[in-house]
Amino acid sequence: MSVPLDGNAIAGALGELFAVDVSVARLECGGCGMEGVVAEVVVYIDAPGVVARCRACDNVLFRLVRAPDRAWLDLRGVAYLRLRTTST
Amino acid sequence: MARAAVLRGLSWRVATVVGVRDETAAGRTIVFELPGWPGHAAGQHVDVRLTAPDGYSTQRSYSIASAPGGDLVELTVERLPDGEVSPYLTQVLSVGDQIELRGPIGGWFVWDDASPDPVLLIAGGSGVVPLAAMVRARFAVGSSAPFRLLYSVRDPASLLFGAELDHYQRTDLSFGVHLAFTRTAPADVPRPVGRIDAAFLTDATAGGPFSAPDAPAVFACGPTGFVEAVANLVVAAGHEARRIKTERFGPSGSQR
């Protein structure tokens, strides 16, 4: 049985790919327009990859699949990601 | 935002076991030495990776139990009967052994030790671990933020950090613990065995700034079903969703 977790659970997998902590980024669901934080979306990690869904409308926000030397990140369900950066 | 929130090039590092401590029959604390550890915020987790001689590799996430500070990081792991990683961590791993670990991870489910706001912690089983890190951090930095921990646990023998939490609440009136035993309760506990429900929440948040009008920061951690249930209770009690942070882990032990 697949158990839903929080986006927080994949902060490590995202941290491997990005220079900033994507788990604290805000996003808007491309399906229903709800705004939220990556750490709070619904995440399934026991699929062949990671599937993240909107907590409000169940839309697939993004999918992440890893191979030893590659990562596929499909972000088609996300309208935007707003990342915190250090000021320049 | 916590200073450890920004990760740069999160990569695996080698951690050396420098101590082990049995907490319960199934729970063990493992103390790792991590040279160059950048420091963490209370509530963060790490990923642990185990690799077999044939190259098979698997990883799990575990919450950090210790307060921030120094090169030592403690993980408290509860052994799952059919687990793949937790039996190794709790029964095989010994002082001197090395494993791969990466972190600190996750800047969302963290307590800001500079905040004076009241904090309501709600734990289910081993979900108490990251919340214990917040309690330890509170005492380590000498914060006077009012804290209350509601801790749901199967029976007295499964209670993690029981003596330490009791010590804290005896020495500081602004920290309190309320236990909900779900299967077997000690003889001296008047409340009948049962899960955290609306009545328990009302009783356990009385006598302090932990009700909805006080807008405490709420952190709930435990198995997915537990977190769903208590998050609904807290919202039904009038707390704003934006003040509630949750961390779910699967009953399969796939996480923490």
Side-chain angles (χ1 to χ4, degrees), chain B residues 173-196:
Chain B
L173 288 174
S174 55
F175 173 72
V177 183
H178 290 254
L179 300 172
F181 292 96
T182 58
R183 288 203 198 146
T184 313
D188 60 345
V189 172
R191 181 180 182 270
V193 164
R195 297 178 178 210
I196 291 178

Side-chain angles (χ1 to χ4, degrees), chain A residues 3-6 8-9 11-13 15-16 18-21 23-24 37 39-40 45 55 84 86, chain B residues 5 7-8 10 45 47 102 105-109 224 228 244-251 255-256:
Chain A
V3 177
L5 304 175
D6 313 281
N8 189 44
E16 192 176 18
F18 293 90
V20 296
D21 182 2
S23 76
V24 299
V37 176
E40 301 216 309
I45 61 166
R55 205 166 278 288
R84 183 185 296 269
T86 50
Chain B
L7 306 174
R8 292 197 181 277
L10 184 63
H45 64 273
D47 289 344
R102 71 179 177 193
I105 294 168
W108 181 250
F109 193 82
T224 296
E228 302 276 341
I244 305 167
K245 292 185 176 180
T246 57
E247 182 159 88
R248 296 162 172 84
F249 57 85
Q255 291 284 317
R256 283 175 282 276

Side-chain angles (χ1 to χ4, degrees), chain A residues 71-83:
Chain A
W72 285 265
L73 182 58
D74 169 356
L75 281 161
R76 73 183 68 186
V78 178
Y80 71 76
L81 269 179
R82 197 177 79 210
L83 301 158

Side-chain angles (χ1 to χ4, degrees), chain A residues 8, chain B residues 21 23-24 26-30 32 40-46 61-68 73-79 90 109-111 121-138 147 149-153 158-162 164-165 168 175 219-223 226-227 247 249 255-256:
Chain A
N8 189 44
Chain B
R21 199 164 65 232
E23 303 282 357
T24 61
R28 173 176 279 189
T29 294
I30 307 144
F32 292 98
H40 60 273
Q44 289 193 294
H45 64 273
V46 299
S61 298
Y62 293 99
S63 291
I64 299 172
S66 48
V73 169
E74 298 186 4
L75 305 182
T76 300
V77 178
E78 204 160 64
R79 182 170 59 256
T90 54
F109 193 82
V110 297
W111 175 59
L121 307 172
I122 309 179
S126 59
V128 74
V129 173
L131 308 184
M134 296 179 189
V135 173
R136 287 167 165 170
R138 177 194 183 276
F147 263 52
L149 170 63
L150 281 49
Y151 180 7
S152 171
V153 64
S158 304
L159 194 65
L160 287 169
F161 319 125
E164 181 183 355
L165 294 170
Y168 286 144
F175 173 72
F219 294 90
C221 182
F226 172 86
V227 170
E247 182 159 88
F249 57 85
Q255 291 284 317
R256 283 175 282 276

Side-chain angles (χ1 to χ4, degrees), chain A residues 14-67:
Chain A
L14 293 169
E16 192 176 18
L17 306 177
F18 293 90
V20 296
D21 182 2
V22 176
S23 76
V24 299
R26 294 195 67 83
L27 57 68
E28 181 185 304
C29 172
C32 70
M34 193 188 84
E35 289 186 70
V37 176
V38 173
E40 301 216 309
V41 304
V42 182
V43 156
Y44 297 87
I45 61 166
D46 43 6
V50 166
V51 178
R53 289 179 176 270
C54 174
R55 205 166 278 288
C57 75
D58 212 35
N59 170 50
V60 174
L61 294 165
F62 61 88
R63 297 179 293 178
L64 171 63
V65 175
R66 286 304 315 262

